[in-house]
Amino acid sequence: MFLNNGCGIKKAVLALLLAVLELMLCLLPLCAVEDEGTEEPEKAPVIENCTGAYLYNFENDQVLLAQGETERIFPTATAKIMTGIVAIEKLGNDLSRSVLITEEMLKQSGGIKMGLIAGEIVTVEQLLYASLVNNANDAVIALACTAAGSVEDFVAMMNEKAAWLGAYDTHYTNPMGLHSDSMVTTVADTALIARHAYSIPLFMEIVSTPKYVMEATNQSDYRNLYNRNSLISKFYNSGYYYSKAIGMNAGSTSQGGYCICAVAEDPASGLSYLAIVMGGKEVDGEIYSYANAISLFDWAFASFTYIEVLRQDKIVCELPVNLSSTLDYVTLVPETGITVYLPTSTIVESDIRYSYNTYEDSLNAPISAGQVAGTITVLMDDRILGSTNLITTSSVTRSEFLYFLARIREFSKGRFFKATLISIIIFSVAYVFIKAGWREHRMRKRSRNIGGRQY
């Protein structure tokens, strides 16, 4: 009997262990899926193999990432952003102006060239496109000489503009971006300059051009000038084309590495971003200025959006209504909804809280729909996301009878009524006393008269 019981217990324990093991095996995939899904979508990508990086949202004036932003670096071709700013300020209203290319201009240029010829006549507009689309340095020098009279004076204007923008750690020695040990900038300064350039429509129109066809001149047939920013054009490198990119500038030097300053926008979301990667390296054929810029753009578009944190139809509270025979209370809702730029992982129900106050504890009829009765503030953590008025949802008519009673009650509580009542009481009491005294006086007089008669 004991043996049988022992075997039964062993079987039961074995069955229990098998059941627990089976349950654990079933839960393992679920745990793996749960762990895989816990990665926060707003976590910034790893930016590597570069000196500095920066990501900025224009619409909300918000810096999303800044890495090595104050370290002194060489600007390389991003110097042409300032070249474009200064040239457009000086010549933007005279785009059709003819410029004669001289031998002296061509001697001062180096690096990338488009092949301008001494004696060739071009326009300011053509020089701007050649400089900012194709990074053509012979066009840059011609543009600088036309705008300022000399390259030296143009560079002085570039440095003056940098100081005016607050880019105090930036110093230019040439408008082409060619290396010079004394030509330096920072990621933070480059961002200031790029954000100003973004506000110039002509500049953005030019740098957004994938291919510029320069018309024939007196010395040359037409030229096809392709954008050297591979986010914009596939001509020089098709591996980094980015469909949302709309310009600015990219280039490299052996000392400064690969640099890019780019803008991308998504019309569907209404968001646009500035990405800057400076001092990028090339590792195993991968150019990290482009690779990091694309990672930053992808992360920004995927991880941030506009979220409605307060619906216009949200019932916030109810207020009692006085002087109405039809409604005892009226509901309050926001005057406007509030939509805020936030991480896509934001859960409104748990991450957003509200604080509201009403101007009165109750409302007196008549009440008009849309009448302002308070305010509501939207908060996330310790940050105020926005605020709006609280308004009534419906109109409420006044009961004239209740209003009449209320006026009586109000009058009865007033000082005048109380003073009048007290006066009446005083006069009444005085009257009673006076009348009683007068009556007593008459009685006494009558008594004296009776007492003095002769019978």
Side-chain angles (χ1 to χ4, degrees):
M1 181 176 179
F2 288 102
L3 289 174
N4 290 337
N5 287 341
C7 291
I9 292 172
K10 289 179 180 179
K11 288 181 179 180
V13 171
L14 182 60
L16 180 61
L17 289 173
L18 289 173
V20 171
L21 180 61
E22 183 178 358
L23 180 60
M24 290 176 65
L25 290 173
C26 290
L27 288 175
L28 278 176
L30 293 176
C31 293
V33 171
E34 183 179 352
D35 290 340
E36 186 179 338
T38 55
E39 183 181 353
E40 296 182 0
E42 70 271 20
K43 187 176 181 181
V46 176
I47 303 301
E48 56 186 351
N49 293 319
C50 67
T51 304
Y54 177 92
L55 182 66
Y56 171 81
N57 174 251
F58 284 102
E59 289 74 22
N60 299 281
D61 189 24
Q62 189 168 334
V63 178
L64 303 180
L65 181 143
Q67 181 175 310
E69 68 271 24
T70 59
E71 186 173 342
R72 288 283 183 97
I73 53 179
F74 300 121
T76 71
T78 61
K80 288 189 176 75
I81 298 174
M82 180 60 79
T83 299
I85 292 171
V86 174
I88 289 173
E89 285 184 353
K90 296 296 291 185
L91 302 170
N93 294 325
D94 199 10
L95 297 179
S96 61
R97 175 179 172 181
S98 294
V99 177
L100 175 64
I101 304 301
T102 66
E103 196 67 46
E104 184 63 27
M105 292 177 182
L106 299 178
K107 287 179 181 179
Q108 298 181 72
S109 65
I112 297 171
K113 300 177 184 180
M114 62 172 287
L116 289 174
I117 304 168
E120 188 171 6
I121 299 175
V122 296
T123 65
V124 167
E125 183 179 40
Q126 290 171 332
L127 291 177
L128 279 169
Y129 272 90
S131 300
L132 300 178
V133 172
N134 193 247
N135 280 356
N137 289 330
D138 46 357
V140 169
I141 295 299
L143 197 61
C145 292
T146 304
S150 69
V151 173
E152 292 75 16
D153 288 343
F154 188 83
V155 171
M157 293 167 63
M158 292 173 66
N159 287 318
E160 183 180 347
K161 189 66 178 182
W164 185 84
L165 291 172
Y168 302 119
D169 292 319
T170 295
H171 178 71
Y172 298 108
T173 61
N174 67 79
M176 300 172 285
L178 296 182
H179 177 73
S180 168
D181 288 342
S182 58
M183 185 158 79
V184 294
T185 189
T186 64
V187 168
D189 278 5
T190 303
L192 283 175
I193 295 164
R195 285 161 59 178
H196 179 72
Y198 180 79
S199 69
I200 304 173
L202 179 58
F203 179 91
M204 289 306 300
E205 178 185 335
I206 294 173
V207 297
S208 301
T209 305
K211 174 186 174 183
Y212 176 67
V213 180
M214 182 173 167
E215 294 180 358
T217 68
N218 63 320
Q219 297 282 1
S220 173
D221 197 359
Y222 73 92
R223 296 175 173 97
N224 290 324
L225 302 179
Y226 295 91
N227 202 314
R228 292 187 182 273
N229 179 354
S230 294
L231 296 180
I232 301 293
S233 171
K234 298 179 181 180
F235 185 79
Y236 294 104
N237 190 330
S238 61
Y240 300 106
Y241 179 77
Y242 197 76
S243 61
K244 295 176 182 176
I246 60 167
M248 291 196 176
N249 182 276
S252 66
T253 64
S254 57
Q255 300 88 346
Y258 290 89
C259 298
I260 187 167
C261 181
V263 175
E265 66 178 12
D266 178 21
S269 65
L271 295 171
S272 52
Y273 295 93
L274 169 69
I276 300 172
V277 181
M278 305 293 281
K281 298 178 181 179
E282 183 176 0
V283 180
D284 298 328
E286 184 82 4
I287 301 175
Y288 274 84
S289 58
Y290 286 118
N292 286 326
I294 291 172
S295 294
L296 288 172
F297 283 140
D298 284 344
W299 171 64
F301 286 121
S303 299
F304 296 89
T305 189
Y306 288 112
I307 296 177
E308 188 179 34
V309 294
L310 181 65
R311 300 192 322 274
Q312 193 173 3
D313 61 352
K314 177 183 176 64
I315 296 177
V316 176
C317 64
E318 297 175 345
L319 276 184
V321 173
N322 306 317
L323 309 181
S324 172
S325 59
T326 57
L327 288 177
D328 296 327
Y329 63 88
V330 66
T331 55
L332 302 185
V333 298
E335 186 174 28
T336 59
I338 296 178
T339 299
V340 185
Y341 177 74
L342 291 170
T344 53
S345 61
T346 302
I347 302 173
V348 174
E349 292 74 17
S350 58
D351 297 337
I352 303 299
R353 58 191 180 89
Y354 308 96
S355 175
Y356 71 89
N357 70 285
T358 57
Y359 299 142
E360 303 290 344
D361 294 331
S362 62
L363 295 176
N364 292 329
I367 299 170
S368 302
Q371 181 176 320
V372 176
T375 59
I376 182 170
T377 302
V378 183
L379 304 102
M380 183 176 181
D381 299 325
D382 295 327
R383 183 161 62 108
I384 296 176
L385 301 182
S387 61
T388 186
N389 290 326
L390 288 176
I391 59 173
T392 56
T393 57
S394 55
S395 299
V396 183
T397 57
R398 183 176 69 188
S399 168
E400 295 303 322
F401 176 70
L402 293 177
Y403 176 67
F404 175 73
L405 293 179
R407 290 294 299 272
I408 293 176
R409 286 195 298 270
E410 183 180 353
F411 177 76
S412 65
K413 294 177 181 179
R415 289 185 177 181
F416 178 78
F417 175 80
K418 292 178 180 179
T420 303
L421 184 61
I422 291 172
S423 299
I424 291 174
I425 293 174
I426 291 173
F427 282 121
S428 298
V429 171
Y431 174 77
V432 170
F433 276 104
I434 292 171
K435 188 174 182 180
W438 176 253
R439 183 180 297 173
E440 183 178 355
H441 173 72
R442 289 181 62 186
M443 291 293 292
R444 288 178 180 175
K445 185 176 180 181
R446 184 177 179 184
S447 297
R448 286 197 299 268
N449 291 335
I450 294 175
R453 289 179 181 178
Q454 299 294 325
Y455 291 98

